[in-house]
Amino acid sequence: MSTAKNFIELCYWCRVGDTENVDRLVSTGVDLNGVDEFDNTPLFLASLCGHEDLVNLLLQRGAVCDRDRYEGARCVYGALTDTIRNILLRYDISKAVDVKQPFATHISLQLQDSTNTPFDIFFSFNGQPLLKAHRFLLASRSAYFANKLNGPWAGKQIIHMPHERFKAAFEIILKYIYLIPTLHDIYPEDYKILKAICLKLQLADFYDSLNELCKTRDSSERAHLMAESQFLFTEHARIQMKNFVKAIVSQKREYKEAPNGIKSVEGDITCCSSFPDVLISLSDEANQKTLIYPSHRSILMRADYFRIMFHSNFSESTHYSQHRNLYAGDNVELPVLKFPSKNDDVACVILNYLYYDETEVPSRVAMDVLTAADALCLDRLKTMAAVSITQSSSLLRLTTPFDILSAGWDTRSERLEHYAAKVIARDLVHYGKHPKLKEAILESSARIKSRQETDTIELVDDIRYYLLRKYEIDIDDVHDLEAEGFSETLMRPELVRYSSDIQLLDSILKELNLEA
């Protein structure tokens, strides 16, 4: 989908108030501060239509509400409710909103939380306290670092830097690389040395932002520029990590079982240019092979499943420890983790999400991604997989609403439960003959935790609701139908068809000896 189409779709979902679809589109890098043909920003549309949760989401993802500018003032004065107006008024443009993005937050935490992220390279300035970093992240964010790490710095753990006076500036550069907002902390006298370092390290976007800030004196303009720059830094980093994941996937290896563990048939994976510190194992049963992906512990820990595995005493963690030496490369021994999927395409979707927050899930693998994301405790990706399932026009040719309903129950996805009920209601005559409908109703009945007189069967309730939507009638029409009798409604075809579907549904319930 093109950028322009993404923005048009974003504006539509902002008017409707669908936070899940907005979050999905934000991950494509769409400009949150653009305007449509009527000069409306997504934030203005969300605030005008009264979608409080969506307003909060847009602000967290990088939407700018500068009250000193036309767009920001429109948002504040056009807000539908006082609550939304207060949210916008409390919003401080000088804050680094982009760090609240899931992707930026995780990258930033890798530098700030050493307990979860094992560093593998250190920079020393004349014996001063070392600055810590990750090889793979430096290589992905800077061509200069990639060349150094694959050349003169290969195999070195401590890099001795030439001048101690560069330490403070280099620390700012590291914060930029890890997406920690730092523009607000830079003093005017530091700009010259920072720009020189940016040129050497080939950090063009940071250099350009520093250049613009040097020429800007107005405090409001500077705040706006800093917020925009941080958003651009994040989007640039996502593109860089996207390219980095392509390299990871291209460096995967095919392995076969051997008496002494897993043996490579394509060469050593531990010395590849992505600098892995952990390997992911995927059993591709369809092609009867095992694939190994080079990966990084600090990125995998974005999934709670792996975080718990690395740090807990659960059986999964024990299993992980026992297999730390399952594969030994020429120089390095790396742990191997089993991936909860048997599909190479699913693994790529998961890696794309973990490394650069890609939430577009192809419908052809959405069901498998849903299951894998649930196993890995990736709730946001699970939601996006559910969105993909419900928006696919072709998926129902490959599966049934009953399979989707079952997946919804298994993964606790209400979106899929409602979608399955909507599909069934849309063609109840057809699905009413399907034996799985009765099985689904019985299972839904069994899912009621404590039966009371007022208990209903959730699936049946949902089908009845979507029958009302299908025929565009309301509950008052139903009450009139029950009071007047079927014969009085012959002049209203939609009520006749609705009554016919309800009778069909009631007959199924009667056959199952259920009252709902």
Side-chain angles (χ1 to χ4, degrees), residues 7 10-11 14-15 31-36 40-47 54 58 63 75:
F7 184 77
L10 174 68
C11 290
C14 285
R15 288 192 294 269
D31 183 8
L32 289 182
N33 298 302
V35 295
D36 64 12
N40 297 323
T41 65
L43 183 62
F44 172 76
L45 293 171
S47 61
L54 188 50
L58 290 169
C75 287

Side-chain angles (χ1 to χ4, degrees), residues 1-3 6-7 22-31 235 238 357-360:
M1 186 181 294
S2 69
T3 302
N6 273 353
F7 184 77
V22 169
D23 200 7
R24 171 178 62 84
L25 287 167
V26 168
S27 296
T28 67
V30 64
D31 183 8
E235 291 310 306
R238 289 184 68 248
D357 211 42
E358 172 62 74
T359 57
E360 286 285 353

Side-chain angles (χ1 to χ4, degrees), residues 16 35 60 84 137 174 184 202 204 227 244 249 257 268 279 311 343 358 406 447 470 508:
V16 172
V35 295
Q60 291 171 0
I84 292 177
L137 199 52
L174 283 181
H184 299 85
Q202 303 172 37
F244 190 70
V249 173
E257 294 290 342
D268 184 15
L279 306 177
H311 294 294
N343 187 314
E358 172 62 74
S406 180
R447 294 174 68 85
K470 172 184 176 182
I508 294 174

Side-chain angles (χ1 to χ4, degrees), residues 319-340:
H319 177 78
Y320 158 75
S321 299
Q322 290 174 343
H323 290 79
R324 288 186 63 87
N325 299 326
L326 188 59
Y327 173 78
D330 293 343
N331 303 307
V332 185
E333 294 182 351
L334 297 181
V336 179
L337 306 178
K338 189 173 182 180
F339 195 73

Side-chain angles (χ1 to χ4, degrees), residues 166-459:
F166 290 159
K167 182 175 184 292
F170 193 78
E171 194 165 6
I172 290 175
I173 295 294
L174 283 181
K175 288 182 178 180
Y176 155 80
I177 287 175
Y178 282 82
L179 298 178
I180 298 173
T182 189
L183 290 173
H184 299 85
D185 302 326
I186 301 174
Y187 295 103
E189 57 267 26
D190 295 330
Y191 278 78
K192 184 176 181 180
I193 188 172
L194 279 170
K195 287 167 64 177
I197 295 176
C198 285
L199 286 176
K200 185 175 183 62
L201 301 185
Q202 303 172 37
L203 305 177
D205 54 350
F206 198 23
Y207 177 87
D208 291 342
S209 293
L210 293 172
N211 224 16
E212 287 298 316
L213 285 171
C214 286
K215 298 182 292 185
T216 306
R217 294 289 178 263
D218 180 75
S219 58
S220 177
E221 289 291 333
R222 286 177 64 84
H224 188 80
L225 177 59
M226 289 177 186
E228 283 190 340
S229 295
Q230 192 62 40
F231 178 78
L232 292 175
F233 294 165
T234 301
E235 291 310 306
H236 187 206
R238 289 184 68 248
I239 294 172
Q240 291 173 321
M241 292 299 283
K242 181 177 181 177
N243 293 329
F244 190 70
V245 172
K246 289 180 180 178
I248 288 176
V249 173
S250 69
Q251 292 166 358
K252 68 184 178 186
R253 298 289 186 266
E254 183 178 336
Y255 286 71
K256 63 181 180 180
E257 294 290 342
N260 60 341
I262 295 180
K263 183 66 176 178
S264 172
V265 296
E266 295 186 20
D268 184 15
I269 194 174
T270 63
C271 297
C272 65
S273 60
S274 58
F275 308 104
D277 59 11
V278 67
L279 306 177
I280 295 176
S281 167
L282 182 145
S283 298
D284 186 348
E285 292 187 349
N287 298 304
Q288 297 183 328
K289 60 184 179 182
T290 297
L291 298 175
I292 298 291
Y293 297 83
S295 192
H296 306 90
R297 172 173 164 164
S298 57
I299 291 291
L300 295 184
M301 280 193 293
R302 189 176 175 192
D304 288 342
Y305 174 86
F306 286 127
R307 182 183 296 276
I308 292 172
M309 179 182 292
F310 291 137
H311 294 294
S312 77
N313 293 320
F314 292 165
S315 59
E316 290 89 349
S317 180
T318 303
H319 177 78
Y320 158 75
S321 299
Q322 290 174 343
H323 290 79
R324 288 186 63 87
N325 299 326
L326 188 59
Y327 173 78
D330 293 343
N331 303 307
V332 185
E333 294 182 351
L334 297 181
V336 179
L337 306 178
K338 189 173 182 180
F339 195 73
S341 176
K342 300 175 183 178
N343 187 314
D344 187 22
D345 291 335
V346 174
C348 289
V349 171
I350 299 290
L351 290 174
N352 290 344
Y353 174 76
L354 291 175
Y355 275 85
Y356 64 95
D357 211 42
E358 172 62 74
T359 57
E360 286 285 353
V361 180
S363 59
R364 59 186 172 79
V365 295
M367 294 283 280
D368 291 329
V369 170
L370 177 82
T371 303
D374 184 57
L376 293 172
C377 305
L378 291 170
D379 290 341
R380 184 161 169 259
L381 182 60
K382 186 172 70 172
T383 297
M384 296 309 165
V387 169
S388 176
I389 292 169
T390 58
Q391 293 184 345
S392 171
S393 59
S394 60
L395 188 61
L396 286 173
R397 293 197 291 266
L398 305 174
T399 187
T400 70
F402 308 107
D403 294 329
I404 293 174
L405 177 64
S406 180
W409 283 335
D410 290 343
T411 60
R412 302 162 303 286
S413 173
E414 290 188 11
R415 189 184 190 99
L416 293 186
E417 295 178 36
H418 289 294
Y419 174 72
K422 182 178 181 179
V423 172
I424 293 169
R426 196 166 58 201
D427 194 357
L428 187 60
V429 173
H430 169 70
Y431 289 113
K433 302 173 185 178
H434 203 298
K436 285 194 174 182
L437 176 58
K438 296 178 182 178
E439 295 176 10
I441 291 174
L442 287 172
E443 183 171 351
S444 182
S445 174
R447 294 174 68 85
I448 299 176
K449 294 182 179 179
S450 57
R451 294 198 62 85
Q452 301 173 0
E453 289 184 4
T454 57
D455 278 340
T456 58
I457 299 173
E458 191 171 16
L459 174 59

